[in-house]
Amino acid sequence: MGNFYCLYLVLLLFCFGFFVNTLSQADSSSDAITAVYIVSLKQAPAAHYFEEQLRRHNRHGHGFHHNSSSSGRLNRLHKPRNNSRYHPSSGSYISRVHDSLLRRALRGEKYLKLYSYHYLINGFAVLVTPEQANKLSKRREVANVVLDFSVRTATTHTPQFLGLPKGAWSQQGGYETAGEGIVIGFIDTGIDPTHPSFADDISEHSYPVPAHFSGVCEVTREFPSGSCNRKLVGARHFAVSAITRGIFNSSQDYASPFDGDGHGTHTASVAAGNHGIPVVVAGHHFGNASGMAPRSHIAVYKALYKSFGGFAADVVAGIDQAAQDGIDIISLSITPNRRPPGIATFFNPIDMALLSAVKAGIFVVQAAGNTGPSPKSMSSFSPWIFTVGAASHDRAYANSIILGNNVTIPGVGLAPGTDTDQMYTLISAVHALCNETILANDMYVGECQDSSNFNEELIQGNLLICSYSIRFVLGLSTIKQALETAKNLSAAGVVFYMDPYVIGFQLNPTPLEIPGIIIPSPDDSKILLQYYNSSLERDGLSRKIVRFGAVASISGGLKANYSITAPKVMYYSARGPDPEDSSLDDADIMKPNLIAPGNLIWAAWSSLGTDSVEFQGESFAMMSGTSMAAPHIAGLAALIKQKFPHFSPAAIASALSTTASLYDKSGGPIMAQRAYANPDVNQSPATPFDMGSGFVNATAALDPGLILDSTYEDYMSFLCGINGSGPVVLNYTGQNCWVYNSTIGSADLNLPSITISRLQQSKTVERTVTNTAGNETYKVGWSAPYGVSVKVTPTRFFIGTGEKQILTIMFNATMNNSVASFGRIGLFGDQGHKLNIPLSVILKFS
């Protein structure tokens, strides 16, 4: 149900977004035709002024200090924590300026201002007609007017799979202190504050108060006073754009930070849920849960909702408030519903607000999107955003049914098995009706939704066979109701076979209170039904069934199995190359940045969560998607931030990227699933466009050795280097490109990867590494992409603590080729540090 709901939500929001866009382009003078627009002003926002004050105050502080606690000076690697809070009155002053502009521009006309953005963007969201939006765009104070757009949402074992207990956590003093003092902000569907994953009183080691955080906790009927604590330190909601459109459903969506969906509660606990919380679902115990950074603090900025998803105006408001509150990390498990229009995908209100967040020292993590496995399906674009794809981990729950003819059929279902060494009679629901007229009146009776339709004497003590049709996918029928029917009829268990019309649907393990199994394959379902029908004995004259001869036992799916073929890139994880614009030209930027566990992830669930009907009423749920992968990285970034409190966002990204693993548990290459149907059959070795730098290595990321850093000025020079971008850069940032004496191409950004979309004969790029560890000598090795020769200089260098080294990389095309090819640069230190820099070249012209 969860997978289909995501597909349904995509279609719904796409249609709605198209409808709004059509309105905005229509030629109409009617005041009734309105839309939400995001208006940014030319005057810089508060965060930019604070940054400038810091620069002036720290003008002489450019040295690198290995002991970060001994120096507060500002430099590329060591950015101070954002301790500033501009005076509370300044926000209201900026809001009054916005009100004054609207009154002057729209004299006497009707409009509705939804938000004033103060901190990362100086601007506002307003409901106006297209004609009024045009008036605003012509004001000299106004830089940019953009139509609002829709967005969508894209564990017990993963800490062990990532080696945290004996690795990263032990380096930080154990789980009792892992991530302490770091505040992670979640732009999502809210949170259930009653969940024990977010309590602050479960440990003798009390939570500190994060002094640099100044957020507040909204109080509503669903989110009463006392919902926040020293763990959950802030909670707000943003829904004005949605409410203005008339699509907000208060009974489902809740005008409060409370999570009526489940998604936000899940992602928050993956990143920073408390350690050792028992996972009990359908009465079965599945271990104890922990977030990646179990002692980090959580701040929630709800901007997505169950019934419609979300809108950029609300998301930008949440991002702006989060940065103003002083969070350290933003976790975004959301992606836009369409590729941003214009000269480059990077120029959209969300990404540009996140650029300002990065300028303020905030590390930004975003899900890659669940639109894979086709190339260029990426939904996260900008180099200042850390984009995470989804991988499997080594735990799986396998269930099976053993038929009386010794055929074993695999299936899913988090269910107990039947008694060992005993076979049970199989009885189809359509053969156990109280009377034959029921089938004529109810064609869906085989879905077992009403126990009154069935003969209890026939079913008691036997295995009931029910059909799983498209109605389960749509939520019209439910597993829970079928289980209730089976229990009411005293069945020994229940077997669901897949309707042949449900083709290619990937079914997640579903909790079942009684012995049971769901057979997700239509072909396997045919095998079951053929055996069942061939075993029936019928009266020669009446053709009525006189004996049910088919028998079976269910092995059960409560026990986890562990595989060595993990991780692998999941079929749904969005793939590169990174599209630079809406015409699908490729950017010289590698996406995704990394992959992390995202498949079959146990995590906290809202008590009123409805996103997955199988887990309604449960306190934990097993979910899959890049939405689950991103918070893994947010939590691990908190551990890096804790150890290196002055690392810039780019330094954290580099530490995660250069230390990533290229191999699965067996030592073979990480594989990538290439098809939705039979994904484990259709797979091949992953490339950087599938997995980025590789699979996250949490322990190695805490000791990266060398760092490749980038600054806000680097990103600005990159944006200014895009042809025709000057006016757009000015509109979004209030800064003129002429301030930057030289611009750089995206391949020249100091990223921990090199991507060249068009190699015209030859190209030379540089990368600058900075040593965050002790003195070390490095050797440099590389493998060249097919059709390209590569030379790196120097091939050996000594680097002292805090020192920098420039690497020069020369590429030469040796053939004409339009197929992407890949290579790597490896840096091997004599003190044990190893760095991996992936190389990608697409078009080659020799």
Side-chain angles (χ1 to χ4, degrees):
M1 174 59 191
N3 288 351
F4 182 84
Y5 170 70
C6 289
L7 175 63
Y8 171 76
L9 186 62
V10 170
L11 294 172
L12 175 66
L13 291 179
F14 176 81
C15 294
F16 186 81
F18 177 78
F19 175 65
V20 172
N21 195 42
T22 304
L23 283 182
S24 71
Q25 294 173 357
D27 181 17
S28 173
S29 58
S30 171
D31 286 343
I33 301 177
T34 58
V36 177
Y37 292 84
I38 300 173
V39 181
S40 55
L41 306 187
K42 293 177 181 177
Q43 189 175 12
H48 289 235
Y49 283 122
F50 168 63
E51 182 78 11
E52 185 59 33
Q53 290 171 0
L54 266 182
R55 291 181 184 284
R56 292 172 182 170
H57 184 265
N58 299 285
R59 183 156 293 168
H60 303 294
H62 300 292
F64 183 93
H65 294 263
H66 181 56
N67 183 357
S68 59
S69 64
S70 66
S71 173
R73 293 189 285 181
L74 178 70
N75 53 62
R76 295 185 68 180
L77 275 179
H78 285 186
K79 296 253 180 161
R81 188 185 294 274
N82 179 12
N83 286 320
S84 83
R85 295 281 80 79
Y86 63 86
H87 195 275
S89 63
S90 63
S92 59
Y93 168 75
I94 294 173
S95 182
R96 291 196 298 271
V97 170
H98 297 164
D99 292 338
S100 175
L101 170 60
L102 283 165
R103 284 195 299 269
R104 285 182 279 114
L106 308 175
R107 296 179 182 274
E109 298 179 17
K110 294 179 180 178
Y111 63 87
L112 179 62
K113 189 186 76 170
L114 310 183
Y115 294 110
S116 276
Y117 305 128
H118 308 143
Y119 197 69
L120 298 178
I121 294 178
N122 181 10
F124 50 86
V126 62
L127 181 71
V128 291
T129 65
E131 288 182 351
Q132 291 174 314
N134 187 49
K135 287 182 182 179
L136 286 169
S137 69
K138 293 178 179 178
R139 296 288 300 191
R140 59 180 178 82
E141 307 99 315
V142 171
N144 206 27
V145 178
V146 179
L147 182 69
D148 193 14
F149 57 89
S150 56
V151 297
R152 61 175 180 262
T153 55
T155 98
T156 55
H157 176 64
T158 48
Q160 283 73 28
F161 183 58
L162 294 173
L164 295 181
K166 296 182 179 179
W169 285 352
S170 65
Q171 291 187 27
Q172 303 294 91
Y175 69 82
E176 279 280 9
T177 58
E180 191 164 277
I182 306 301
V183 182
I184 306 175
F186 296 87
I187 314 293
D188 215 301
T189 65
I191 197 167
D192 182 348
T194 66
H195 200 284
S197 290
F198 313 121
D200 68 350
D201 57 358
I202 65 169
S203 169
E204 296 178 1
H205 179 55
S206 63
Y207 274 94
V209 177
H212 65 286
F213 181 77
S214 63
V216 301
C217 193
E218 285 184 14
V219 175
T220 69
R221 184 181 63 176
E222 302 89 9
F223 213 83
S225 178
S227 294
C228 288
N229 52 43
R230 292 189 173 200
K231 173 71 172 180
L232 175 58
V233 293
R236 300 174 184 251
H237 86 287
F238 302 86
V240 179
S241 180
I243 292 171
T244 303
R245 297 163 189 265
I247 61 171
F248 189 89
N249 185 335
S250 59
S251 64
Q252 287 185 30
D253 298 318
Y254 304 111
S256 80
F258 187 83
D259 182 10
D261 179 278
H263 188 273
T265 299
H266 198 276
T267 57
S269 71
V270 168
N274 284 324
H275 181 270
I277 306 302
V279 179
V280 178
V281 174
H284 311 304
H285 185 252
F286 292 96
N288 296 324
S290 175
M292 301 300 103
R295 291 290 292 184
S296 285
H297 307 276
I298 293 169
V300 169
Y301 302 86
K302 178 179 173 181
L304 284 99
Y305 297 84
K306 166 66 179 175
S307 61
F308 57 86
F311 294 94
D314 296 325
V315 171
V316 171
I319 294 170
D320 191 68
Q321 187 62 58
Q324 184 180 328
D325 290 346
I327 61 164
D328 300 291
I329 295 165
I330 289 178
S331 180
L332 282 165
S333 287
I334 61 173
T335 55
N337 272 330
R338 57 182 173 87
R339 211 167 263 118
I343 64 171
T345 52
F346 322 116
F347 293 115
N348 67 81
I350 293 177
D351 282 33
M352 295 308 290
L354 293 173
L355 176 59
S356 289
V358 168
K359 183 180 183 181
I362 300 169
F363 181 69
V364 177
V365 187
Q366 186 177 25
N370 298 334
T371 48
S374 60
K376 300 188 187 183
S377 52
M378 186 58 52
S379 298
S380 175
F381 315 107
S382 298
W384 52 87
I385 297 171
F386 199 81
T387 304
V388 186
S392 65
H393 55 97
D394 63 344
R395 182 196 61 205
Y397 294 91
N399 200 345
S400 61
I401 181 170
I402 301 94
L403 306 181
N405 59 0
N406 291 323
V407 172
T408 298
I409 298 176
V412 298
L414 301 170
T418 52
D419 291 340
T420 56
D421 302 324
Q422 183 176 347
M423 302 294 274
Y424 293 81
T425 301
L426 288 164
I427 297 185
S428 172
V430 295
H431 293 152
L433 302 175
C434 292
N435 60 73
E436 294 180 0
T437 61
I438 294 175
L439 185 59
N441 297 329
D442 183 1
M443 62 185 297
Y444 303 112
V445 69
E447 295 173 7
C448 306
Q449 299 296 292
D450 184 355
S451 59
S452 65
N453 290 326
F454 302 103
N455 182 337
E456 183 177 356
E457 289 184 8
L458 271 179
I459 295 171
Q460 185 175 5
N462 297 319
L463 294 178
L464 176 64
I465 300 177
C466 306
S467 65
Y468 188 103
S469 77
I470 192 68
R471 289 168 54 85
F472 284 83
V473 181
L474 295 171
L476 301 175
S477 296
T478 68
I479 294 288
K480 281 197 171 184
Q481 190 55 47
L483 293 175
E484 195 63 31
T485 295
K487 286 191 291 184
N488 289 341
L489 298 171
S490 303
V494 61
V495 179
F496 293 92
Y497 70 89
M498 190 63 63
D499 187 288
Y501 294 104
V502 185
I503 300 173
F505 182 67
Q506 300 293 334
L507 195 65
N508 281 339
T510 300
L512 308 174
E513 294 178 352
I514 63 175
I517 186 172
I518 307 169
I519 301 172
S521 164
D523 291 338
D524 287 340
S525 297
K526 288 179 184 177
I527 294 173
L528 168 72
L529 295 178
Q530 285 170 358
Y531 165 67
Y532 172 79
N533 288 322
S534 67
S535 302
L536 293 173
E537 292 184 16
R538 295 180 180 270
D539 180 87
L541 295 175
S542 67
R543 303 303 299 162
K544 289 185 177 181
I545 299 171
V546 295
R547 180 176 174 271
F548 295 94
V551 294
S553 64
I554 298 171
S555 66
L558 297 179
K559 187 177 179 181
N561 300 310
Y562 296 91
S563 164
I564 62 172
T565 58
K568 64 178 65 176
V569 184
M570 298 307 299
Y571 63 89
Y572 51 78
S573 188
R575 311 298 166 90
D578 186 16
E580 184 173 67
D581 52 42
S582 55
S583 63
L584 294 182
D585 288 336
D586 298 320
D588 290 347
I589 295 167
M590 185 188 72
K591 292 289 180 178
N593 295 87
L594 202 70
I595 54 172
N599 200 57
L600 305 180
I601 305 297
W602 279 120
W605 196 243
S606 173
S607 57
L608 298 179
T610 56
D611 185 21
S612 178
V613 67
E614 295 90 346
F615 292 98
Q616 274 187 288
E618 303 288 355
S619 58
F620 281 86
M622 179 182 283
M623 304 292 287
S624 297
T626 57
S627 286
M628 284 68 246
H632 275 86
I633 297 301
L636 298 177
L639 303 182
I640 299 173
K641 185 79 172 176
Q642 182 186 23
K643 183 175 181 180
F644 301 102
H646 298 299
F647 260 23
S648 70
I652 296 174
S654 176
L656 288 162
S657 299
T658 60
T659 58
S661 173
L662 305 176
Y663 306 101
D664 66 18
K665 283 184 65 178
S666 69
I670 292 174
M671 304 297 282
Q673 296 177 337
R674 302 289 179 196
Y676 181 86
N678 300 315
D680 283 328
V681 176
N682 297 291
Q683 61 183 22
S684 60
T687 75
F689 291 161
D690 302 314
M691 65 174 180
S693 293
F695 184 78
V696 64
N697 184 333
T699 303
L702 286 172
D703 184 21
L706 303 178
I707 286 293
L708 293 90
D709 198 28
S710 297
T711 66
Y712 174 80
E713 285 70 27
D714 295 329
Y715 298 131
M716 287 294 292
S717 294
F718 149 68
L719 292 175
C720 288
I722 298 172
N723 190 31
S725 65
V728 186
V729 172
L730 177 64
N731 288 347
Y732 272 113
T733 67
Q735 295 179 256
N736 282 296
C737 280
W738 56 260
V739 172
Y740 298 90
N741 296 325
S742 62
T743 60
I744 58 176
S746 47
D748 297 309
L749 277 169
N750 198 41
L751 302 175
S753 61
I754 301 173
T755 300
I756 301 175
S757 59
R758 296 176 65 88
L759 179 58
Q760 297 277 8
Q761 295 185 344
S762 64
K763 184 177 181 64
T764 299
V765 299
E766 292 182 346
R767 289 295 185 266
T768 301
V769 295
T770 306
N771 189 7
T772 66
N775 298 348
E776 196 161 0
T777 298
Y778 282 85
K779 293 180 180 179
V780 183
W782 63 87
S783 61
Y786 177 73
V788 179
S789 67
V790 173
K791 183 179 181 182
V792 184
T793 56
T795 58
R796 179 186 176 95
F797 61 89
F798 170 83
I799 187 168
T801 301
E803 292 181 352
K804 299 180 186 296
Q805 172 68 51
I806 296 176
L807 301 176
T808 302
I809 305 102
M810 291 169 281
F811 295 84
N812 281 283
T814 59
M815 64 172 65
N816 295 323
N817 192 291
S818 60
V819 178
S821 54
F822 309 95
R824 297 197 178 270
I825 297 174
L827 305 178
F828 307 94
D830 61 6
Q831 299 301 309
H833 293 108
K834 298 178 183 178
L835 285 80
N836 153 52
I837 299 175
L839 310 176
S840 308
V841 181
I842 305 176
L843 298 176
K844 310 160 194 78
F845 303 96
S846 63

